[in-house]
């Protein structure tokens, strides 16, 4: 029977190997590991050779210089080239990137394969605009992002790349925003593309992809709700934030995917609550004629149902606060639609909701130890204080007292956070 | 699917999208019915798209009405709505796709819009456009994608000058069966410019 060959040592930088040798010696001296184990650990690693690294660096520089030179030569002759030659070059660049990616995957170099697939996706996106320019195609600009996004989604699914998938989710979000700038009707294709993007996020188990894709819902509901300055549009955006957070409660508590939904929902709530704490915004909304329309009403109803359904699984203060924000928003939509609420009352309601989310997040952070909760808690509280302070900026006495109270609150919070670490340290 | 096959398939998908984009652009030129529309110059240059002549056509701004009295008061081209869709629009924001039906004018040979509909009308030349914001009913601003004619570097200036001199400018347009249209060439005083 042939003896098994040991795997070749992993090459690491000199500094990293020196650190490992120092640590291994310390562990040996402290009796954590014996001499044999120390030797076996160190045999797994070897320093990268200086010659090899220099050669790699030189090769990369040479390839880069050649690539820049080639691009400059093409650029210099670009206007002299016939359109068909330009299109052929653009298509060849896309084919070369994906061909290189397939070749790299074929020889087992997954990272290089993924990098080339990512580069190919970017070249493909550039090709859409470049071909449109070369052939004078005057299409709708949101369609460019739509096809770029569809292509990127296909690439991500086929090469199973989280990086390309996250880029695709960004493109889907940009497409929805571009549609909102171009037309007043929400793009119905979103109903197919959004679930597909989210499904890809779950298949690839990518929190970044799911989080970015979740954000794409927000501009869509604003368009469907008749815009940012309408009761349905504003309410739908806040309810979308609540609904995204409520999706988190249907995941296991510490799941990274739950965190992605939570962060997206909090971001949406933060962005919309800041203007809703300003009385002028409510005066503008009140000036708009309130009328019943089926699509905005349906969007608001679905989002409200999704947000309020999380009450069924709410355990923490933060989750209950989210249910409270959803209930408060639904009440506001109904009252504002019936002209039964003044701009001042609306301002106070949303100020209270912002403060409530901030305090609940900080309280949750102190319990769970998650820095993200603390960051959002501070952001919501600071947003509340800054907006309220700006409205009082002429009154030096109240402004001064408010800022003193804020500073004292933050000091108290940092003391609580430090105390929490000490308690945990003792418990450990 | 192994990942190398996945990467190859991804490349095929991207190339197919790009090819589809080019075919969709060229389809009206390959298959479309030729019509001549009156052209009005707008602005001679766009820094991002090279040299071209920006154009408009009287069909870009329409008044939609079946009322003969209202039609006679309008300075814009008047078209009749086909179907009942227009009855719902006054007082509301209008958007989306429309089809303008063209008929030839016996005296000039130019085609002019006569009716407008939400869907294509059978046995008619349907010019597909998107309603642009800016006008309110009964006036409509429609974009047909016929707003620019691209030319070789340095050759747009003489055309622009001819337009400024008040010579008659028309567009030779190919309209596909689905209503999408592309400019084949410009016609100045009855003489077509050489095709690109």
């Amino acid at each position: 029977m042939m003896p098994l060959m040991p795997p070749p040592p992993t090459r690491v930088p000199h500094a990293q190997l020196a650190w490992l040798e120092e640590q291994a010696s310390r562990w040996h001296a402290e009796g954590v590991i014996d001499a044999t184990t120390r030797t076996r650990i160190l045999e797994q690693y070897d320093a990268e050779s200086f010659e090899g690294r220099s050669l790699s660096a030189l090769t990369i520089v040479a390839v880069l210089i050649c690539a820049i030179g080639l691009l400059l030569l093409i650029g210099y002759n670009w206007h002299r080239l016939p359109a068909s030659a330009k299109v052929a070059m653009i298509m060849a660049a896309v084919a070369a990137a994906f061909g290189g990616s397939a070749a790299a995957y074929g020889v087992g170099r997954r990272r290089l394969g993924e990098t080339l697939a990512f580069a190919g996706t970017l070249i493909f996106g550039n090709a859409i605009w470049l071909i449109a320019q070369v052939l004078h195609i005057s299409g709708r600009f949101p369609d460019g992002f739509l096809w770029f996004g569809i292509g990127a989604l296909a690439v991500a699914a086929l090469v199973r790349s989280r990086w390309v998938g996250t880029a695709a989710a960004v493109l889907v979000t940009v497409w929805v925003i571009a549609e909102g700038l171009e037309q007043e009707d929400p793009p119905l294709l979103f109903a197919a593309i959004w679930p597909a993007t989210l499904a890809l996020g779950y298949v690839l188990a990518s929190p970044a992809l799911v989080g970015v894709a979740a954000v794409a819902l927000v501009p869509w509901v604003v368009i469907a709700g008749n815009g940012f300055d309408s009761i349905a549009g504003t309410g739908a955006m806040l309810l979308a934030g609540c609904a995204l957070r409520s999706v988190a409660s249907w995941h296991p508590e510490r799941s990274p995917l739950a965190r992605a939904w939570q962060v997206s929902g909090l971001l949406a709530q933060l962005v919309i609550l800041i203007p809703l704490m300003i009385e002028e915004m409510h005066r503008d909304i009140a000036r708009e004629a309130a009328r019943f329309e089926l699509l905005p009403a349906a969007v608001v109803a679905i989002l409200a149902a999704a947000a309020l359904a999380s009450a069924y699984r709410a355990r923490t203060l933060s989750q209950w606060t989210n249910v409270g924000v959803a209930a408060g928003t639904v009440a506001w939509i109904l009252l504002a639609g019936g002209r039964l609420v003044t701009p001042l009352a609306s301002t106070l309601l949303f100020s209270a909701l912002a403060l409530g989310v901030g305090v609940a997040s900080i309280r949750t952070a102190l319990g769970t130890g998650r820095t993200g909760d603390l960051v959002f808690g501070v952001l919501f509280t600071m947003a509340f204080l800054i907006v309220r302070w700006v409205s009082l900026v002429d009154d030096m006495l109240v402004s001064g007292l408010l800022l003193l109270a804020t500073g004292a609150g933050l000091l108290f919070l940092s003391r609580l956070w430090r105390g929490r670490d000490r308690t945990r340290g003792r418990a450990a | 699917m192994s990942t190398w096959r996945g990467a190859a398939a991804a490349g095929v998908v991207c190339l197919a999208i790009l090819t589809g984009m080019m075919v969709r652009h060229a389809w009206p030129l390959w298959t479309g019915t030729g019509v001549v529309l009156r052209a009005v110059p707008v602005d001679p240059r766009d820094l991002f798209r090279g040299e071209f002549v920006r154009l408009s056509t009287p069909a870009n701004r329409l008044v939609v009405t079946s009322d003969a009295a209202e039609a006679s008061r309008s300075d814009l081209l008047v078209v009749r709505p086909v179907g009942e869709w227009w009855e719902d629009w006054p007082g509301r924001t209008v958007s989306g796709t429309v089809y303008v039906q063209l008929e030839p004018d016996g005296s000039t040979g130019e085609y002019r819009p006569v009716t407008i509909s939400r869907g294509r009308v059978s046995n008619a030349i349907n010019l597909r456009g998107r309603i642009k914001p800016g006008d309110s009913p009964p006036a409509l601003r429609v974009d047909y994608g016929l707003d620019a004619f691209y030319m070789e570097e340095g050759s747009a200036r003489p055309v622009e000058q001819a337009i400024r001199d008040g010579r008659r400018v028309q567009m030779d347009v190919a309209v596909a069966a689905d209503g999408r249209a592309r400019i084949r060439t410009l016609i100045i005083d009855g003489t077509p410019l050489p095709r690109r």
Side-chain angles (χ1 to χ4, degrees):
Chain A
M1 192 174 161
M2 288 278 288
L4 281 175
M5 287 286 286
T10 307
R11 295 195 178 276
V12 294
H14 275 286
Q16 205 173 339
L17 189 64
W19 175 86
L20 183 63
E21 282 171 351
E22 188 193 323
Q23 291 296 312
S25 300
R26 216 181 92 200
W27 297 332
H28 180 228
E30 289 171 359
V32 179
I33 54 173
D34 57 29
T36 318
T37 311
R38 177 179 172 273
T39 311
R40 283 175 60 195
I41 290 173
L42 292 177
E43 277 173 359
Q44 307 283 318
Y45 301 94
D46 197 2
E48 288 172 342
S49 78
F50 180 72
E51 292 80 7
R53 288 173 68 188
S54 305
L55 199 64
S56 299
L58 199 64
T59 310
I60 290 168
V61 169
V63 169
L64 271 176
I65 287 174
C66 284
I68 293 168
L70 187 65
L71 284 175
L72 286 173
L73 282 175
I74 293 170
Y76 178 74
N77 291 295
W78 188 250
H79 67 280
R80 293 193 188 95
L81 291 170
S84 52
K86 290 176 187 171
V87 170
M89 285 171 71
I90 294 165
M91 300 286 268
V94 176
F98 284 105
S101 170
Y105 277 119
V107 294
R109 299 190 65 180
R110 296 187 64 85
R111 186 175 287 187
L112 180 63
E114 188 176 6
T115 306
L116 285 170
F118 191 85
T121 309
L122 295 182
I123 295 170
F124 160 69
N126 266 322
I128 291 176
W129 272 273
L130 219 46
I131 287 177
Q133 189 184 20
V134 169
L135 298 181
H136 309 309
I137 300 174
S138 52
R140 295 173 66 248
F141 83 96
D143 289 352
F145 289 111
L146 171 65
W147 288 111
F148 192 0
I150 288 174
L153 279 174
V155 174
L158 287 164
V159 302
R160 304 183 73 78
S161 164
R162 291 177 176 182
W163 285 101
V164 180
T166 306
V170 171
L171 288 165
V172 169
T173 310
V174 172
W175 163 63
V176 179
I177 294 170
E179 285 285 1
L181 297 173
E182 181 76 6
Q183 62 169 12
E184 290 165 350
D185 298 326
L188 297 179
L189 198 56
F190 182 78
I193 290 182
W194 193 58
T197 312
L198 288 172
L200 182 66
Y202 278 86
V203 169
L204 300 178
S206 166
L209 200 170
V210 170
V212 176
V215 167
L217 177 69
V218 178
W220 191 87
V221 299
V222 173
I223 305 166
N226 281 342
F228 195 63
D229 53 358
S230 70
I231 296 166
T234 317
M237 185 169 171
L238 190 47
L239 283 174
C242 298
L244 296 180
R245 287 183 64 189
S246 84
V247 175
S249 65
W250 297 88
H251 291 71
E253 200 181 326
R254 294 267 168 182
S255 150
L257 292 172
R259 203 70 203 127
W261 287 99
Q262 176 81 353
V263 168
S264 301
L266 282 166
L267 271 176
Q269 288 181 337
L270 182 65
V271 169
I272 188 63
L273 275 172
I274 291 173
L276 284 175
M277 285 189 280
I278 300 168
E279 200 176 344
E280 191 57 38
M281 170 91 179
H282 292 285
R283 290 207 190 93
D284 287 346
I285 291 174
R287 273 194 282 273
E288 289 289 313
R291 59 171 185 268
F292 179 83
E293 285 184 55
L294 188 61
L295 180 64
V299 167
V300 165
I302 291 167
L303 291 171
L308 292 171
S310 66
Y312 176 71
R313 294 177 66 89
R315 302 279 182 278
T316 64
L317 177 64
S318 179
Q319 288 168 339
W320 279 113
T321 310
N322 189 46
V323 175
V325 173
T329 308
V330 170
W332 175 76
I333 291 171
L334 295 173
L335 291 171
R339 305 267 188 227
L340 297 170
V341 64
T342 63
L344 179 63
S346 300
T347 310
L348 291 175
L349 169 70
F350 289 110
S351 300
L353 291 179
L355 188 61
V357 176
V359 171
S361 293
I362 291 170
R363 179 72 191 80
T364 305
L366 291 171
T368 61
R370 281 199 298 247
T371 316
D373 286 328
L374 182 72
V375 168
F376 271 107
V378 171
L379 280 174
F380 272 90
T381 314
M382 290 300 289
F384 166 80
L385 288 166
I386 289 169
V387 172
R388 294 277 58 85
W389 175 56
V390 168
S391 66
L392 297 168
V393 81
D394 286 341
D395 189 333
M396 285 181 69
L397 174 65
V398 181
S399 293
L401 288 172
L402 192 65
L403 289 177
L404 276 173
T406 308
L410 285 173
L411 283 173
F412 181 63
L413 181 63
S414 67
R415 193 173 172 75
L416 278 177
W417 190 255
R418 210 166 44 192
R420 180 195 128 277
D421 278 351
R422 280 201 197 114
T423 314
R424 289 193 161 199
R426 274 200 297 273
Chain B
M1 185 184 285
S2 69
T3 320
W4 78 265
R5 285 196 182 126
V12 171
V13 169
C14 291
L15 291 174
I17 290 174
L18 294 172
T19 308
M21 185 178 129
M22 288 185 278
V23 170
R24 191 162 175 259
H25 169 70
W27 192 254
L29 294 170
W30 294 341
T31 66
T33 308
V35 298
V36 175
L37 297 175
R38 171 66 59 87
V40 184
V42 180
D43 186 12
R45 210 175 165 91
D46 179 330
L47 290 175
F48 296 102
R49 294 257 173 119
E51 197 132 350
F52 69 95
V53 182
R54 285 199 67 191
L55 298 162
S56 172
T57 154
N60 285 121
R61 288 194 71 200
L62 301 168
V63 166
V64 186
T65 181
S66 302
D67 182 351
E70 191 174 16
S72 64
R73 285 196 299 272
S74 174
D75 296 332
L76 302 174
L77 272 177
V78 178
V79 288
R80 293 188 314 279
V82 176
E84 294 179 359
W85 63 278
W86 184 251
E87 305 302 323
D88 298 334
W89 289 114
R92 296 179 61 182
T93 312
V94 284
S95 61
T97 304
V98 285
Y99 293 86
V100 170
Q101 288 73 45
L102 304 172
E103 280 184 7
D105 183 330
S107 58
T108 61
E110 289 171 2
Y111 281 68
R112 60 196 308 272
V114 284
T115 51
I116 186 166
S117 59
R118 277 308 227 192
R120 288 197 295 273
V121 172
S122 55
N123 300 322
I125 295 177
N126 294 278
L127 184 59
R128 187 179 193 270
R130 289 188 72 83
I131 297 172
K132 290 178 76 177
D135 276 330
S136 53
L140 266 192
R141 198 178 289 267
V142 188
D143 177 18
Y144 305 101
L146 301 175
D147 56 350
F149 179 67
Y150 293 84
M151 307 180 72
E152 296 296 330
E153 190 91 21
S155 59
R157 287 266 171 223
V159 177
E160 183 202 339
Q161 192 57 47
I163 294 167
R164 284 209 182 122
D165 292 344
R167 292 156 71 182
R168 187 161 58 106
V169 184
Q170 295 164 309
M171 301 179 203
D172 177 4
V173 173
V175 184
D178 68 354
R180 291 175 207 277
R182 302 279 180 267
I183 304 176
R184 280 186 173 138
T185 188
L186 291 186
I187 304 168
I188 297 177
D189 282 342
T191 309
L193 292 177
R195 301 261 175 95
R196 284 170 292 143

